[in-house]
Amino acid sequence: MLLAQMAEVERLAPMVRYLLRSMQAGGELALKLIENMIADAEQYLSAGEAAGVVRPSRDRAARTRYLAYQATGSMVLWFTLHGADAEPAEFAALFRRYIEDLALPALELFTQGLLVDRSMHDEYLMYVPDPPCAGDADSIAS
């Protein structure tokens, strides 16, 4: 299924271009768009947990938000550096290059992990024994 989707990645280019433009513009549209993406991703991750293909999280909502920010932020940066202003036909080719550049390291990171032990995680949990509530990030930012 993954390889089939990668074979047709160019068909997603118009949506990705719209996403990039919206994120770069910022404002209310970008905020609503990312919040909708996060809500959808949380449902997918929850279904993955139920199916046993995604590890459960101490704080699923925080993990989902982090993954959404990481994915969209890296995409905005990559395209800013490699031709965000490309014409539609060229943008489709750039999107394929983006996928090819990042697929292997992303899959490796998510399936094999990065760190060889839990020591930093455990140390952090000793510092902050309970994850912050979802609303805490908003009050800290104010």
Side-chain angles (χ1 to χ4, degrees):
M1 184 165 166
L2 173 67
L3 295 179
Q5 290 175 340
M6 287 182 69
E8 298 180 5
V9 74
E10 286 86 358
R11 69 182 175 80
L12 300 174
M15 289 181 285
V16 170
R17 192 168 191 198
Y18 177 78
L19 172 69
L20 284 170
R21 295 283 190 239
S22 299
M23 292 296 130
Q24 289 168 328
E28 192 65 27
L29 175 62
L31 181 60
K32 286 181 180 179
L33 183 58
I34 194 72
E35 291 301 326
N36 286 334
M37 290 172 60
I38 290 167
D40 285 347
E42 191 164 358
Q43 290 178 1
Y44 292 130
L45 289 171
S46 179
E49 285 181 22
V53 296
V54 172
R55 289 190 175 137
S57 174
R58 289 180 177 276
D59 187 341
R60 184 186 304 136
R63 176 180 64 183
T64 305
R65 183 169 298 280
Y66 171 78
L67 289 171
Y69 286 169
Q70 181 184 30
T72 55
S74 68
M75 189 168 54
V76 168
L77 177 61
W78 193 96
F79 279 97
T80 298
L81 296 174
H82 296 95
D85 294 330
E87 294 299 318
E90 185 184 1
F91 186 87
L94 281 174
F95 184 51
R96 169 157 299 283
R97 187 173 143 213
Y98 167 77
I99 295 297
E100 290 173 352
D101 281 358
L102 298 182
L104 178 61
L107 287 169
E108 179 182 280
L109 181 63
F110 288 124
T111 60
Q112 297 177 13
L114 177 65
L115 303 175
V116 296
D117 66 43
R118 296 177 39 110
S119 59
M120 282 196 286
H121 180 259
D122 292 344
E123 184 178 336
Y124 179 78
L125 290 177
M126 292 300 291
Y127 174 73
V128 181
D130 295 315
C133 296
D136 288 353
D138 295 333
S139 63
I140 292 169
S142 321

